[in-house]
Amino acid sequence: MVEPPPQRITNPTAVFAGLDKITGRIISFDVAINETVQFGALQMTPRVCYSRPPTETPNTDAFVEVDEVTLQGEIKRIFTGWMFAASPGLHAVEHPIYDVWITDCKGGQSPTVAEAPAEAPRQPARQQQQQQQRRTQQPAPPPQRMPPPPGFFPPPR
């Protein structure tokens, strides 16, 4: 009997760990998909982050673009590709000062089908429309920006 392929969950947030080799500090930071966050001189932009349901073998991977901001203020692409949490040394970003790797994804909804809840009382159509409008009109939270580590000075403009 052939088993079905494992289901993957698409997540809205990628979780990274970063090592500052000068200070020896390791920090963990979350980045929303398609958001760019700076860690030292590196700018991280995850494009997708996949994980598996808790009932499956853990397998977290993300497609990430990493740029370096040089001392001259230029932006150079230093990494584009898949990172795998199970093998951080295989596809981590190794830089003379910073190392960055994927550790987890979060916020995804399980692809399994949940049981239907008990029948709830129906709301009038107008009230349902108003609730839907309120949900879509809420402003998005501001993007997270990581402060540069101590000792990092941005290039002069």
Side-chain angles (χ1 to χ4, degrees):
M1 182 163 104
V2 177
E3 291 186 28
Q7 296 178 348
R8 66 181 183 192
I9 301 170
T10 303
N11 298 276
T13 305
V15 181
F16 292 93
L19 167 66
D20 181 332
K21 295 177 185 177
I22 294 174
T23 64
R25 266 188 355 168
I26 296 177
I27 65 166
S28 178
F29 53 97
D30 299 355
V31 185
I33 299 302
N34 294 319
E35 174 188 16
T36 300
V37 170
Q38 189 155 342
F39 172 68
L42 303 181
Q43 293 181 342
M44 314 283 301
T45 308
R47 297 298 179 188
V48 68
C49 195
Y50 295 126
S51 61
R52 299 267 170 86
T55 57
E56 300 285 335
T57 304
N59 189 14
T60 299
D61 52 352
F63 189 83
V64 183
E65 297 172 346
V66 181
D67 298 319
E68 177 184 21
V69 180
T70 66
L71 293 175
Q72 293 77 29
E74 299 170 357
I75 297 177
K76 290 184 181 178
R77 176 71 37 97
I78 62 169
F79 180 84
T80 300
W82 290 95
M83 289 185 177
F84 304 95
S87 302
L90 184 61
H91 291 285
V93 174
E94 294 183 18
H95 180 268
I97 300 172
Y98 307 102
D99 285 352
V100 180
W101 60 97
I102 186 80
T103 59
D104 201 4
C105 298
K106 63 184 187 180
Q109 299 297 318
S110 177
T112 57
V113 178
E115 291 183 25
E119 186 69 29
R122 296 201 60 164
Q123 296 178 341
R126 182 171 174 81
Q127 191 176 4
Q128 287 178 341
Q129 288 174 344
Q130 289 173 345
Q131 285 180 347
Q132 181 64 27
Q133 285 175 346
R134 273 189 232 117
R135 276 188 231 125
T136 58
Q137 291 174 353
Q138 292 177 349
Q144 296 176 334
R145 299 298 293 178
M146 294 297 301
F152 175 75
F153 299 101
R157 295 198 181 245

